Amino acid sequence: MPMASLFPRLPSEPPLDLSSRRRLLESMASRGSSEVAALVIPGFLVWAMSRYGSVASMLAWWAGFALFTLVLIDRRRRFRADLAARGDAAADRWEPVFQRLAVLNGLCWTMPVFLTLRVPSYEFKLLLYLVIAAVIASAATFLAPLPGVFFRFFAACFGPLVVAVVWMFPTRWPFILPLTLLYGVVICRHAGGTRRFVWQQFALERERAELAERYRGARDRAEHALAEKDRFLSTASHDLRQPVHAMGMLVEAALARNQDEGLAPVLQDVRRAARSLTGMFDALLDLSRIEAGTSAASRVAVPVRELFDDAATVFGGDAAARGLVVRRHLPRRHEAAVAGDPTLVRQVVFNLLQNALRYTQRGGVLLGVRSRADQWRIEVWDTGSGVAAEDRGRIYSPFFRGPEARSRVTTGHGLGLAVVARSAELMSAGYGFSSEPGRGSCFWIELPKTEAVPPPAATGVYGRVRSLAGRCLLVEDDPQVGPAWLGLLATWGATARLARDRAQALQCLDAGFDPDVILCDQRLAGGDSGFDVLKTLLARCPRAHGAMVSGELDTPELTEAEDEGYLVFRKPVEPDVLHAVLSRWLPTAPSPGDSGPGA
């Protein structure tokens, strides 16, 4: 039987790489049992031979075997030293050396077979064959992963056993020879199984290494994508806030100048829509930061009435266009306010309302709040299709959509309720639903009660008279925001000048404009840092007040400005907040009744 057929290679088995071969050679070289066996077992055979005749030749064999063992120990020591110096590259140099040593080692073990051919004792000869067979079995276990080493040892050790059977057992060799050959086949099969097992271990290690590398790559890509998303949100927030900021100022200026009482409700609706849009930008960014773990969910008072008003403003138009009604139910005796993160609470209510409208074809949706012990339960009722019994356990799973959503064209991707569940968990809030298929559903979230924060006192911003005087220098490069600033400040009675960058701002000062207040955007044309520009201008105007205005949320420059005590306005700036600050920094108008235009 060919040796290759006894020791087959798996069809998909790749050759061992250099690192794997180095590890196998290192494992073989670290074994001390073979050296111990080479010193002890020959001594035992010499003692057994002494019972049947002269042991001079066996003693010489033992001495030679011991000398070879010392050489083998020295070669292994040198291999380990070379391995420490060259690493995996040492495998190519030392594997042929160990192959030659394996041949010599096998011949050393079978030498007693030829030295004891004339010994008349069958018992000793059987003992000798059994000892060599045990040595071959032991070698098959730890040499098999290196076929070049194992086959040379096996051929040098087993071959002489087979050849000498006829002379060792002249009358019994027809029985012993087949058993010896069968034993050789079994050893080769065992060595093949050992080798396959070791190959599988290396294959698993390579697979684990590849999985770990893919995981690191996926993690790096995810972190890069997250960083890109944050940069995109920051940039998009800045760019989107600019027109919203300008729209808010223009609406406030229009409200202050409006003479048509019939137009006032329309302007008020536009103002609420602009503020709702601002809240959506803030919620998007805040939720992104909370999900990324860069900030924790806060717990402040959130007025339910304002929350429902915003939700009705955002979704009321779409509901009315589809013939649906959005109703609100609030306590009559108490002003409901919940303790939670404003962004997350808003996200929950908006998603629940949007989900209810998506699955409601006729009737309407009710936003309600009811008291339950020390909790307020915010509920969203609908007259839609309801939730089937088999879908109740999956309703909050990401990307899950009910049968009705799958059977007809609807917007959304099945993430709304998953966001509701995640937001509620971030606030440690209870949530759930009840539903009756064909009649509608009620989704709810429970949050702790808290005292409602009273609304800020009116500042007189929306009157038609001018309430401020003084001079303001605006450093703003956006073509929409700049004129809106000028229009609002003119409505309030302040004299304002607009500069796009550091150079224009310094030109205004050189022309004799002495501002009482300097408001500076952070991101300016030409790459100027708004904070550096503000400090330069305040150094020229030491009596002036200064503040930063930016559509960005978290930048090193804004953080530095706040740390140094500067006021930072975040776009879109609430006009009443801006007016309150300017009323402390600017002198009041000498004549409240004067309604002439500002500069």
Side-chain angles (χ1 to χ4, degrees), residues 222 337 356 526 579:
H579 186 275

Side-chain angles (χ1 to χ4, degrees), residues 482-494:
W485 273 107
L486 294 178
L488 182 60
L489 291 173
T491 301
W492 292 345

Side-chain angles (χ1 to χ4, degrees), residues 143-218:
L143 293 183
L146 292 166
V149 177
F150 171 74
F151 276 135
R152 285 167 174 78
F153 176 83
F154 181 78
C157 198
F158 185 73
L161 289 184
V162 176
V163 173
V165 165
V166 177
W167 289 275
M168 290 290 283
F169 307 98
T171 61
R172 296 179 176 85
W173 70 265
F175 308 102
I176 296 178
L177 180 60
L179 291 176
T180 304
L181 292 175
L182 180 61
Y183 178 76
V185 172
V186 171
I187 288 298
C188 287
R189 300 299 295 183
H190 168 68
T194 301
R195 183 186 177 209
R196 285 191 294 272
F197 174 76
V198 173
W199 173 80
Q200 289 171 356
Q201 297 304 307
F202 280 119
L204 288 175
E205 288 186 8
R206 286 193 296 269
E207 184 178 353
R208 285 195 297 268
E210 292 172 359
L211 287 175
E213 184 63 28
R214 288 201 295 268
Y215 166 76
R216 286 191 292 268

Side-chain angles (χ1 to χ4, degrees), residues 51 123 199 223 302 395 461 507 533 555:
R51 301 175 59 186
E123 290 81 1
W199 173 80
E223 291 177 350
V302 181
I395 195 69
V461 176
Q507 289 176 4
V533 173
T555 64

Side-chain angles (χ1 to χ4, degrees), residues 331 334 336 369-378 446 449:
H334 304 283
V369 59
R370 68 172 66 183
S371 176
R372 294 178 63 90
D374 59 346
Q375 305 270 326
W376 284 114
R377 173 179 282 196
I378 299 176
E446 288 184 348
K449 292 180 179 179

Side-chain angles (χ1 to χ4, degrees), residues 97-109:
V97 174
F98 284 119
Q99 290 174 356
R100 292 191 292 269
L101 291 174
V103 174
L104 295 176
N105 193 20
L107 293 175
C108 284
W109 279 109

Side-chain angles (χ1 to χ4, degrees), residues 293-312:
T294 56
S295 63
S298 62
R299 186 174 289 271
V300 299
V302 181
V304 177
R305 183 182 299 275
E306 294 181 11
L307 185 64
F308 284 4
D309 289 345
D310 286 346

